[in-house]
Amino acid sequence: MPATILDGNKIAAEIRAEVAAEAKALAEAGMRPGLAVVLVGHNPASEIYVRGKVKSCEEVGIYSEKHTPPETVTTADLLALVDDLNRRDEIDGILVQLPLPRQVDSKKVLLAVDPAKDVDGFHPMNVGFLSTQRPGLVPCTPGGIMEMLRRSNIAVAGQDAVVVGRSDIVGKPMAMLLLNANATVTVCHSKTRDLPGVCRRADILVAAIGRAGMITRDFVRSGATVIDVGMNKITDRTDFERYFKGNEKREQAFAKNGSTLVGDVHPEVAEIAGAITPVPGGVGPLTIAMLMSNTVRAAKLRRGATVSVG
Ligand code: NDP
């Protein structure tokens, strides 16, 4: 039986609708949530991400502002900007778009963000809150995956979960969230022995690697839930054939754009998984929806607000 497709666009739309209702209630109580985005220089990918985030704010009724220091900005300039945003009461969330230019001490800048406004959940204080199960702000991508599992009625407690990847942004917080939800969690990385064997133990397999189609059917137990975080652009015809041979819809898109996206999971896995996220349209849309959700959450936590919606 082919896998159930976990539709990230649909779940993201549900989350956005809930966030919009909460943002409205807060605004009516004189506390409209606000997000400040800091975008340094002209990295094309970063510009696209930031445009998406600002647009999403407009859609859900969150105030947003964009700060665009030049590529030549110094660490001191950015620290001054962050300090100003930390002090402003109408700003609930501060997002410093990464990567920052080489001359900037990124860690120092991220550390300067008020943990109460750290909507990316990268500040060590929020990392500590997550690992000790205290209320805080959780990184958007793994937070979105937990929402997807919950809203798709996929049981987590007592399940074997395997996370491939141990980045601070995805793998580690993902593992912590699954552990907090009572899964038995294994974290894998580039030095893991017998990766396919370890992955085959998983009831829930999360791939956050950054390698196109690496997780093939040999890594997956029949019926497992497979969450594909990877977003890899392919432009080469041979690569295309390896993943999408015979897929007409992809063929048309590839012919038109000269590229397509493939996850870290090989599309053949959909033939044996119980449920799987597509790429695109799986985990990606949830990340921005969770940023909106985190901004509203930051507003409520910081301003001590309780809003009742609906
Ligand atoms: P990183 O490069 O920071 O981490 C990759 C991880 O994968 C590392 O822990 C690395 O191990 C591990 N890894 C690499 N090669 C192998 C291998 N051959 N076998 C086992 N493990 C391996 O990436 P991110 O976590 O930031 O992102 C992962 C992917 O998710 C990327 O494709 C990225 O584009 C995508 N992404 C998607 C998002 C979305 O919204 N959909 C959001 C964020 C990321 P080691 O630590 O040993 O080096």
Side-chain angles (χ1 to χ4, degrees), residues 186-202:
T186 306
V187 185
C188 302
H189 45 78
S190 63
K191 308 286 187 295
T192 297
R193 261 188 290 143
D194 184 23
L195 187 64
V198 178
C199 289
R200 273 198 303 274
R201 295 209 300 262

Side-chain angles (χ1 to χ4, degrees), residues 141 164-167 169-171 188-191 195 207-211 214 229-232 264 283-284 287:
T141 302
V164 190
R166 57 174 162 180
S167 69
I169 296 171
V170 190
C188 302
H189 45 78
S190 63
K191 308 286 187 295
L195 187 64
I209 313 164
R211 290 187 182 238
M214 196 186 102
V229 185
M231 288 200 299
N232 310 288
D264 291 341
V283 173
T287 300

Side-chain angles (χ1 to χ4, degrees), residues 226-246:
V226 180
I227 307 292
D228 190 355
V229 185
M231 288 200 299
N232 310 288
K233 189 172 168 182
I234 51 171
T235 52
D236 185 79
R237 182 85 220 168
T238 322
D239 285 340
F240 179 83
E241 301 263 320
R242 188 177 316 143
Y243 305 117
F244 300 114
K245 199 168 194 305

Side-chain angles (χ1 to χ4, degrees), residues 121 123-139 142-143 146 168 170 172-180:
H123 192 286
M125 182 93 93
N126 281 313
V127 177
F129 285 156
L130 175 61
S131 73
T132 52
Q133 293 188 268
R134 290 181 167 87
L137 294 163
V138 168
M146 294 308 288
D168 292 341
V170 190
K172 277 189 213 159
M174 183 78 254
M176 198 53 78
L177 284 165
L178 288 163
L179 183 62
N180 288 350

Side-chain angles (χ1 to χ4, degrees), residues 13-264:
E14 278 171 29
I15 295 171
R16 277 200 306 273
E18 291 163 13
V19 169
E22 288 194 278
K24 187 163 173 273
L26 279 166
E28 281 165 2
M31 297 180 278
R32 186 177 182 196
L35 176 69
V37 182
V38 179
L39 170 66
V40 176
H42 295 285
N43 179 322
S46 295
E47 282 178 343
I48 293 172
Y49 293 144
V50 166
R51 213 176 302 140
K53 289 168 185 176
V54 169
K55 185 164 160 267
S56 200
C57 282
E58 280 163 23
E59 283 165 10
V60 300
I62 290 176
Y63 164 76
S64 73
E65 60 183 38
K66 196 166 88 174
H67 297 263
T68 54
E71 189 72 33
T72 51
V73 74
T74 62
T75 304
D77 293 338
L78 278 181
L79 288 175
L81 173 57
V82 167
D83 185 49
D84 178 51
L85 296 171
N86 282 343
R87 287 168 199 272
R88 285 176 50 202
D89 195 44
E90 73 280 20
I91 297 298
D92 297 290
I94 301 170
L95 185 149
V96 181
Q97 185 66 44
L98 300 176
L100 291 172
R102 219 176 300 156
Q103 78 277 7
V104 173
D105 184 340
S106 301
K107 284 203 167 153
K108 210 167 181 182
V109 173
L110 293 184
L111 200 60
V113 173
D114 179 347
K117 298 188 177 189
D118 167 41
V119 282
D120 261 336
F122 295 161
H123 192 286
M125 182 93 93
N126 281 313
V127 177
F129 285 156
L130 175 61
S131 73
T132 52
Q133 293 188 268
R134 290 181 167 87
L137 294 163
V138 168
C140 298
T141 302
I145 292 170
M146 294 308 288
E147 279 297 313
M148 173 176 259
L149 294 172
R150 191 172 68 78
R151 290 168 194 254
S152 309
N153 295 315
I154 292 171
V156 176
Q159 303 293 297
D160 279 322
V162 174
V163 180
V164 190
R166 57 174 162 180
S167 69
D168 292 341
I169 296 171
V170 190
K172 277 189 213 159
M174 183 78 254
M176 198 53 78
L177 284 165
L178 288 163
L179 183 62
N180 288 350
N182 295 318
T184 302
V185 183
T186 306
V187 185
C188 302
H189 45 78
S190 63
K191 308 286 187 295
T192 297
R193 261 188 290 143
D194 184 23
L195 187 64
V198 178
C199 289
R200 273 198 303 274
R201 295 209 300 262
D203 300 304
I204 299 169
L205 176 62
V206 182
I209 313 164
R211 290 187 182 238
M214 196 186 102
I215 303 295
T216 56
R217 58 191 306 150
D218 306 342
F219 291 64
V220 180
R221 188 163 83 197
S222 176
T225 296
V226 180
I227 307 292
D228 190 355
V229 185
M231 288 200 299
N232 310 288
K233 189 172 168 182
I234 51 171
T235 52
D236 185 79
R237 182 85 220 168
T238 322
D239 285 340
F240 179 83
E241 301 263 320
R242 188 177 316 143
Y243 305 117
F244 300 114
K245 199 168 194 305
N247 181 333
E248 276 200 19
K249 217 168 131 197
R250 287 281 186 161
E251 185 68 62
Q252 282 167 10
F254 189 70
K256 186 164 158 244
N257 308 322
S259 69
T260 192
L261 278 185
V262 66
D264 291 341

